[in-house]
Amino acid sequence: MMRCVLSLLFTMGVGTMGIAGAALAADPPVGQATNQAPSAAMPSTESFLASVAVNARFEIASGKLAVERAKSAAIKDFAYRMVDEHTAAAASFNEAVSRAKLPPPPEKLDVRHQAMLDNLKAHDAASFDKAYVEAQVQVLRETGDLFRTYATVGDNARIKRFAQDQLLTSRAHLDDASKLR
């Protein structure tokens, strides 16, 4: 994984700028006008935490399901990585929330993500791999958008740093899931 991140950093031309610098390198300075509308309204810290937590729980639960049910070795490998890396990120997330003295988000899937997981469980062996990859792309895209937005305009410094630290990993996961299509 580290090789993948370093490779991504150098491919992006950021060299030794660091992860947070790389994540924000394309963003204009605060107060500078752009021709683009923001991709999402700034989430409150609480809604950001709840969304990130539920997305991570979905990634872990669906990854465990894919490890059991996927036919493709590449998809199984990806699912193992998602379980391992999202479990580690969840620990980092919980530490950031605790240090920021914020209440932890709910510890279960919301209705939407539970329905997505149930949908995956309902797929037969022939259609599971494609459904899993599509769900991953959707959730990873949402997660990346959340991290990018909060890393740029979030109002809690600790949580903003967490979002900045996770941004490149989130982008790499989305790229990997997209390649599985």
Side-chain angles (χ1 to χ4, degrees), residues 123-169:
H123 277 274
D124 63 10
S127 64
F128 179 83
D129 288 12
K130 181 177 180 182
Y132 171 73
V133 171
E134 292 305 317
Q136 296 311 296
V137 168
Q138 178 183 347
V139 171
L140 289 166
R141 186 171 288 133
E142 291 169 8
T143 303
D145 289 346
L146 282 167
F147 284 143
R148 183 174 28 82
T149 300
Y150 202 88
T152 304
V153 296
D155 61 356
N156 182 295
R158 274 191 204 279
I159 303 303
K160 191 173 180 175
R161 267 192 310 280
F162 170 80
Q164 291 167 346
D165 290 345
Q166 294 298 314
L167 188 56
L168 284 179
T169 300

Side-chain angles (χ1 to χ4, degrees), residues 22-141:
L24 301 174
D27 293 336
V30 174
Q32 180 177 336
T34 66
N35 294 335
Q36 299 175 352
S39 62
M42 182 182 99
S44 69
T45 299
E46 291 76 22
S47 68
F48 170 78
L49 294 176
S51 295
V52 168
V54 78
N55 284 359
R57 282 187 193 89
F58 176 79
E59 290 291 332
I60 293 167
S62 63
K64 288 178 180 178
L65 184 63
V67 166
E68 294 173 12
R69 299 202 36 214
K71 290 170 80 174
S72 163
I75 291 175
K76 280 188 183 223
D77 289 346
F78 176 78
Y80 274 117
R81 271 192 39 233
M82 292 301 95
V83 171
D84 288 346
E85 292 179 18
H86 282 279
T87 299
S92 186
F93 172 80
N94 290 334
E95 183 179 333
V97 170
S98 176
R99 287 183 182 221
K101 297 183 182 359
L102 296 169
E107 293 195 20
K108 63 179 190 168
L109 292 176
D110 61 10
V111 172
R112 179 174 158 259
H113 287 84
Q114 185 61 55
M116 290 172 68
L117 187 61
D118 292 343
N119 179 39
L120 283 175
K121 290 176 181 177
H123 277 274
D124 63 10
S127 64
F128 179 83
D129 288 12
K130 181 177 180 182
Y132 171 73
V133 171
E134 292 305 317
Q136 296 311 296
V137 168
Q138 178 183 347
V139 171
L140 289 166
R141 186 171 288 133

